[in-house]
């Protein structure tokens, strides 16, 4: 008993005291979101945010209506993956993979008990959707133009010398000069705070613009969330949330097969637009098909051809001479690769790849990025070249 008391006095109590001080320090410094982050990651056996997180967050529902199912390609049942691609998908924590050509489903498969109705987190694929919504708001007259000054919708920055020259297009191109650190793993950083924190708008507008806009591309979830705040404020007088606007302008017109869920910040005031649109693989694919169709869907122009061209064309001004031009406006681009494509990409390997010359879409969802297998001539993440080249082999075999 005496030994236990001594252990408690000299070991347990100091540890408790230290943990209490650390906890108080996190609260005082505004980092209490870390507790929630730990609860939803390490205590659940995860090392980072994961594809099933939406069940732990508040969400707005985007309702489906009059579902349009994908027509299947001739011989759909007989199409097989190449051995190389099959092995990659079987071993890299893939949960869904689909190929679409000429608007028809060529291949579809699921792993790890996921299926066609499973909802998973888009992560940064949502950035593309957010920019499509802001461009649609321009077309509807709710936002004046693509190049509208951000200070119209973000008056908090009226006196910031850098923000005064920044436009909404700088946010979608990620050339804004906004102060941000992109990291899903280190717990004390703005990305983690935006994901697990309580008041996203407050967090965002308390950060500064620290460089001239219009410079080099620098990937930043903060840019997209700032664009989302501007979009939310532009839509609110017209009775829309970002989710309800998505529902009306794209989700229901595209005949999505199921509802979607867009996760909210802790105050339930705004969607986490830089991530966290939760839907099924074949519904994500329809965004790729809409872009491939130059914004047209079954005879209706849901987004103008000019705006589709804007977001899918590399933003050459944001890259130094001789460097690969890998980003447009919230769309990744690899148009100089042996098989040109552009893409919606997300954390842990969420992918919608659009191959214009093949008139094809590839969807891959998973719990981690595909195993790095670099292919000569491709410039983006090293699993993408393999997906594209192997699918090209499959498509060639259909002819």
């Amino acid at each position: 008993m005496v030994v236990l008391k001594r252990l408690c006095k000299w070991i347990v109590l100091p540890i408790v005291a230290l943990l209490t001080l650390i906890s108080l320090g996190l609260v005082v410094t505004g980092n209490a979101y870390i507790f929630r982050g730990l609860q939803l990651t390490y205590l659940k056996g995860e090392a980072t945010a994961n594809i099933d997180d939406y069940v732990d967050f508040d969400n707005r529902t985007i309702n489906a209506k009059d579902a349009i199912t994908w027509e299947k390609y001739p011989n759909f049942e007989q199409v097989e993956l190449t051995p190389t691609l099959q092995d990659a998908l079987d071993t890299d924590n893939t949960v869904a993979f689909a190929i679409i050509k000429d608007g028809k489903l060529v291949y579809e498969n699921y792993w790890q008990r996921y299926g066609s109705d499973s909802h998973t987190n888009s992560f940064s694929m949502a950035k593309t959707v957010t920019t499509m919504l802001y461009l649609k708001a321009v077309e509807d007259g709710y936002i004046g133009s693509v190049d509208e000054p951000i200070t119209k919708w973000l008056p908090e920055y009226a006196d910031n010398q850098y923000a005064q020259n920044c436009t909404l297009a700088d946010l979608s191109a990620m050339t804004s000069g906004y102060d941000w650190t992109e990291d899903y793993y280190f717990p004390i950083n703005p990305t983690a705070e935006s994901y697990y924190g309580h008041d996203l708008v407050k967090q965002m507008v308390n950060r500064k613009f620290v460089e001239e806009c219009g410079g080099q591309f620098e990937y930043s979830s903060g840019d997209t969330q700032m664009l989302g705040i501007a979009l939310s404020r532009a839509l609110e007088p017209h009775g829309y949330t970002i989710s309800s606007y998505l529902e009306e302008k794209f989700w229901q017109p595209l005949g999505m097969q199921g509802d979607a869920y867009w996760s909210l910040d802790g105050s339930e005031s705004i969607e986490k637009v830089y991530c966290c649109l939760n839907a099924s693989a074949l519904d994500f694919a329809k965004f790729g098909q809409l872009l491939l169709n130059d914004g047209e869907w079954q005879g209706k122009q849901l987004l103008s051809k000019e705006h589709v061209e804007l977001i899918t064309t590399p933003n050459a001004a944001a890259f130094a001479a001789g460097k690969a031009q890998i980003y447009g406006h919230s769309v990744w681009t690899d148009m100089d690769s042996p098989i040109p494509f552009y893409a919606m990409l997300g954390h842990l390997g969420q992918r919608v790849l659009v191959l214009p010359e093949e008139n094809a879409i590839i969807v891959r969802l998973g719990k981690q990025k595909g195993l790095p297998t670099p292919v000569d001539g491709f410039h983006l993440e090293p699993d993408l070249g393999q997906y594209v080249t192997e699918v090209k082999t499959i498509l060639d075999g259909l002819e």
Side-chain angles (χ1 to χ4, degrees):
M1 193 67 178
V2 174
V3 173
L4 289 176
K5 288 183 178 180
R6 287 179 178 175
L7 285 174
C8 183
K9 179 178 180 180
W10 298 110
I11 298 177
V12 177
L13 290 179
I15 291 174
V16 170
L18 178 61
L19 291 175
T20 301
L21 287 174
I22 292 173
S23 299
L24 288 173
L26 291 174
V27 172
V28 169
T29 58
N31 293 309
Y33 68 88
I34 291 176
F35 297 123
R36 192 181 191 198
L38 292 173
Q39 175 191 356
L40 299 182
T41 52
Y42 300 123
L43 295 182
K44 295 178 65 174
E46 304 284 350
T48 181
N50 67 83
I51 62 173
D52 300 315
D53 272 343
Y54 80 96
V55 299
D56 294 314
F57 293 106
D58 295 310
N59 302 279
R60 286 197 177 114
T61 300
I62 299 111
N63 295 290
K65 182 181 180 182
D66 300 329
I68 301 170
T69 58
W70 289 96
E71 181 182 349
K72 291 184 178 178
Y73 205 82
N75 302 319
F76 168 83
E77 302 294 344
Q78 284 72 51
V79 174
E80 296 182 354
L81 301 181
T82 64
T84 297
L85 182 55
Q86 184 71 62
D87 181 65
L89 298 176
D90 287 342
T91 57
D92 68 1
N93 258 329
T94 297
V95 303
F97 193 81
I99 305 169
I100 293 158
K101 180 175 173 59
D102 301 333
K104 299 177 182 179
L105 188 61
V106 171
Y107 179 87
E108 175 189 16
N109 199 13
Y110 302 91
W111 289 255
Q112 303 187 50
R113 299 184 179 180
Y114 290 79
S116 60
D117 296 330
S118 297
H119 289 72
T120 59
N121 195 340
S122 65
F123 288 110
S124 290
M125 295 198 301
K127 291 179 169 68
T128 308
V129 178
T130 299
T131 288
M132 292 170 71
L133 289 170
Y134 124 72
L135 294 174
K136 187 64 179 179
V138 172
E139 294 176 15
D140 285 342
Y142 302 149
I143 293 174
S145 74
V146 170
D147 294 316
E148 192 157 74
I150 67 167
T151 50
K152 177 174 180 178
W153 304 108
L154 297 164
E156 294 91 340
Y157 292 98
D159 296 327
N160 182 284
Q161 61 174 326
Y162 298 117
Q164 288 172 356
N165 298 317
C166 188
T167 68
L168 297 178
D170 287 311
L171 294 175
S172 61
M174 298 193 179
T175 57
S176 72
Y178 181 68
D179 181 27
W180 192 259
T181 302
E182 190 73 23
D183 192 329
Y184 269 100
Y185 292 90
F186 186 67
I188 302 179
N189 71 80
T191 309
E193 182 179 358
S194 66
Y195 197 78
Y196 298 110
H198 178 69
D199 191 335
L200 188 49
V201 173
K202 180 180 178 180
Q203 176 202 348
M204 301 303 297
V205 300
N206 280 340
R207 301 188 71 84
K208 304 297 183 183
F209 287 79
V210 294
E211 295 179 359
E212 291 287 348
C213 64
Q216 297 296 297
F217 164 74
E218 185 171 351
Y219 189 76
S220 167
S221 290
D223 278 20
T224 306
Q225 192 60 49
M226 292 294 277
L227 180 62
I229 295 171
L231 175 62
S232 178
R233 290 173 175 178
L235 293 176
E236 185 177 9
H238 305 282
Y240 292 109
T241 64
I242 290 173
S243 292
S244 67
Y245 196 60
L246 170 59
E247 178 180 288
E248 181 177 309
K249 301 301 179 178
F250 295 122
W251 203 261
Q252 293 187 357
L254 286 168
M256 296 301 198
Q257 295 174 195
D259 297 344
Y261 309 101
W262 210 327
S263 297
L264 304 174
D265 71 336
S267 65
E268 302 183 35
S269 63
I270 193 169
E271 292 84 349
K272 295 186 284 190
V273 297
Y274 68 92
C275 71
C276 310
L277 176 61
N278 300 273
S280 68
L282 294 185
D283 283 346
F284 284 133
K286 286 186 177 177
F287 288 112
Q289 189 68 51
L290 183 62
L291 295 177
L292 182 58
N293 291 352
D294 292 325
E296 184 270 337
W297 181 264
Q298 296 194 341
K300 295 182 179 180
Q301 199 71 36
L302 303 186
L303 189 66
S304 74
K305 182 176 181 179
E306 293 75 17
H307 281 155
V308 172
E309 183 176 357
L310 171 70
I311 64 179
T312 59
T313 301
N315 183 25
F319 300 93
K323 296 292 185 180
Q325 298 171 8
I326 60 171
Y327 208 72
H329 286 260
S330 303
V331 170
W332 293 90
T333 60
D334 201 354
M335 301 305 291
D336 294 329
S337 67
I339 304 169
F341 72 98
Y342 54 83
M344 302 164 60
L345 303 179
H347 180 53
L348 301 179
Q350 318 318 308
R351 281 88 173 80
V352 173
L353 312 179
V354 181
L355 288 58
E357 293 183 2
E358 306 300 321
N359 199 29
I361 312 290
I362 304 169
V363 180
R364 186 272 181 185
L365 307 177
K367 295 184 177 182
Q368 68 177 36
K369 287 182 181 178
L371 301 177
T373 310
V375 179
D376 289 344
F378 289 86
H379 304 100
L380 296 176
E381 297 183 66
D383 58 325
L384 303 184
Q386 183 183 67
Y387 294 151
V388 170
T389 54
E390 295 300 317
V391 167
K392 175 67 160 61
T393 299
I394 295 168
L395 296 178
D396 288 346
L398 298 177
E399 299 174 357

